Amino acid sequence: RSMSATLYVLSTLGGYVLTSALLLKCPGLLHRPKRQRFRCRHISHRGGAGENLENTMTAFRHAVNLGTDMLELDCHLTKDEQVVVSHDENLKRSTGVDVNISDLKYSELPPYLGKLDVTFEKECQCEGKDRRIPLLEEVFEAFPTTPINIDIKMNNNVLIKKVSELMTQYKREHLTVWGNANYEIVSKCFKENSDVPVIFCAQRVLLLLGLFYTGLLPFIPFKEEFFEIPMPSLIFKLKEPQEMSRGQKFVIWLADMLLMRKALFDHLTARGIQVYIWVLNEEKEYKRAFDLGATGVMTDYPTKLKEFLHNYP
């Protein structure tokens, strides 16, 4: 009896493994691929924070003139409820003034410093003359046909509503993706305007990985259309090796091994879910991402990525 029970379990398990493997390779058998309104390879992070001051109109213009496929930017809300493009809520790092955006009216915002560190490039600074914090509305107005990737930086209902209203006003639902690493923010974005595609938040990325490694991923539907993840190995480039413990190095190595998987990226892209890797600034990083099957790469150096893509098959 126990022998027949064992055989039953093994045959069921074998059937599951084979079905999972087949659907991982051919997800179209179970899921209709998501309708892609735009497809982006070249994405300018904060407009290209290594070539112009981050999140400025000059940076965005430069990237669009180069032919970037998408602008990535960050949004906050001022005291007088204006949606502004800025990465930080507190302006100490970017302007030298220790004040929160939400405590000032738009007209009171200080200008950026003339020189800023490039966050994802070690010991690197970028200079620029355009130091004004722009409104999201200006960006929509200036680039009506350019896809824009919006990071909603605060869990703020008014901010989410205002961004949604602006997208509707500028007829940009088909040209925008929005969200954040925070689960609650992404849920609110989807609820506020389900016409605009959302990204996987950190919590959902972990869930997706769990499903991938247990073979369940091919059976599960998703509302998200964009899988935007960091390349964990970048941390080795940004930190001094002696600053990191053995345990930390192992965790980063493991995260990189688990996350950077061609089978995972190929499955998602076959389902119409775009895979974007951030923030990559060197040729070998670009090459690794695209070789693994990423749809697009976010970079601080749009010129460098453009040159790379020109030579990449």
Side-chain angles (χ1 to χ4, degrees):
R1 195 188 204 160
S2 64
M3 183 67 171
S4 62
T6 305
L7 285 171
Y8 173 74
V9 168
L10 286 175
S11 65
T12 306
L13 195 60
Y16 167 68
V17 170
L18 281 172
T19 309
S20 175
L22 173 68
L23 290 173
L24 190 73
K25 282 273 188 214
C26 312
L29 295 171
L30 194 60
H31 306 279
R32 182 186 292 169
K34 292 185 183 291
R35 182 170 61 96
Q36 295 186 337
R37 292 168 272 197
F38 51 84
R39 215 176 138 79
C40 303
R41 293 179 91 198
H42 184 297
I43 305 154
S44 300
H45 178 246
R46 303 183 199 172
E51 295 179 14
N52 287 280
L53 290 184
E54 63 179 60
N55 280 323
T56 57
M57 290 305 288
T58 297
F60 299 139
R61 271 191 210 101
H62 171 69
V64 170
N65 289 341
L66 266 177
T68 194
D69 297 322
M70 173 182 264
L71 297 172
E72 188 274 346
L73 51 79
D74 313 276
C75 280
H76 284 279
L77 197 68
T78 59
K79 192 178 178 179
D80 53 348
E81 297 191 345
Q82 297 289 310
V83 181
V84 296
V85 179
S86 163
H87 181 271
D88 306 352
E89 157 71 343
N90 183 281
L91 294 172
K92 181 89 169 83
R93 174 190 72 91
S94 56
T95 70
V97 184
D98 188 5
V99 65
N100 290 340
I101 287 175
S102 53
D103 293 332
L104 296 177
K105 290 179 182 171
Y106 180 61
S107 60
E108 298 167 339
L109 292 179
Y112 284 132
L113 296 167
K115 192 187 282 187
L116 291 175
D117 287 334
V118 181
T119 311
F120 291 93
E121 199 57 43
K122 197 171 168 188
E123 290 167 10
C124 215
Q125 290 191 314
C126 184
E127 294 183 44
K129 290 190 174 72
D130 178 9
R131 297 164 54 198
R132 192 176 63 83
I133 297 175
L135 292 162
L136 179 63
E137 188 168 1
E138 290 178 76
V139 183
F140 283 176
E141 215 158 76
F143 313 108
T145 58
T146 304
I148 294 177
N149 195 309
I150 300 176
D151 192 345
I152 301 287
K153 281 294 177 190
M154 303 295 280
N155 188 355
N156 179 316
N157 297 350
V158 181
L159 173 61
I160 291 165
K161 191 171 177 53
K162 292 264 180 189
V163 172
S164 175
E165 284 169 358
L166 284 169
M167 288 190 286
T168 305
Q169 184 188 330
Y170 285 91
K171 299 183 171 54
R172 285 201 56 97
E173 285 100 336
H174 66 295
L175 277 175
T176 314
V177 50
W178 62 339
N180 183 269
N182 178 294
Y183 175 81
E184 211 179 319
I185 292 177
V186 176
S187 302
K188 285 179 179 179
C189 287
F190 191 74
K191 200 174 163 188
E192 182 66 43
N193 193 339
S194 59
D195 288 339
V196 182
V198 291
I199 67 169
F200 282 85
C201 66
Q203 196 177 328
R204 298 273 290 172
V205 168
L206 292 175
L207 169 70
L208 188 139
L209 281 180
L211 294 170
F212 174 65
Y213 285 104
T214 53
L216 287 165
L217 180 61
F219 304 99
I220 308 295
F222 292 102
K223 67 175 187 287
E224 296 92 344
E225 294 180 39
F226 291 82
F227 187 65
E228 301 182 3
I229 50 168
M231 187 181 277
S233 60
L234 288 186
I235 299 171
F236 292 128
K237 184 182 87 171
L238 299 173
K239 279 194 180 296
E240 294 292 345
Q242 61 270 22
E243 283 176 18
M244 300 166 75
S245 69
R246 241 201 195 132
Q248 286 171 323
K249 287 176 186 171
F250 174 73
V251 168
I252 294 159
W253 172 82
L254 184 65
D256 199 84
M257 284 287 293
L258 293 173
L259 206 50
M260 297 289 111
R261 306 298 302 205
K262 184 162 174 53
L264 173 62
F265 296 173
D266 286 349
H267 174 78
L268 292 174
T269 50
R271 285 173 66 169
I273 295 169
Q274 295 189 51
V275 177
Y276 296 162
I277 314 252
W278 52 270
V279 168
L280 312 183
N281 290 328
E282 289 175 25
E283 278 202 15
K284 62 174 188 281
E285 296 161 6
Y286 302 154
K287 185 175 185 324
R288 183 183 179 209
F290 286 116
D291 285 351
L292 283 169
T295 320
V297 158
M298 289 189 194
T299 187
D300 289 316
Y301 295 91
T303 306
K304 205 189 277 189
L305 179 56
K306 183 185 179 177
E307 283 164 7
F308 170 82
L309 286 170
H310 181 70
N311 300 311
Y312 185 79

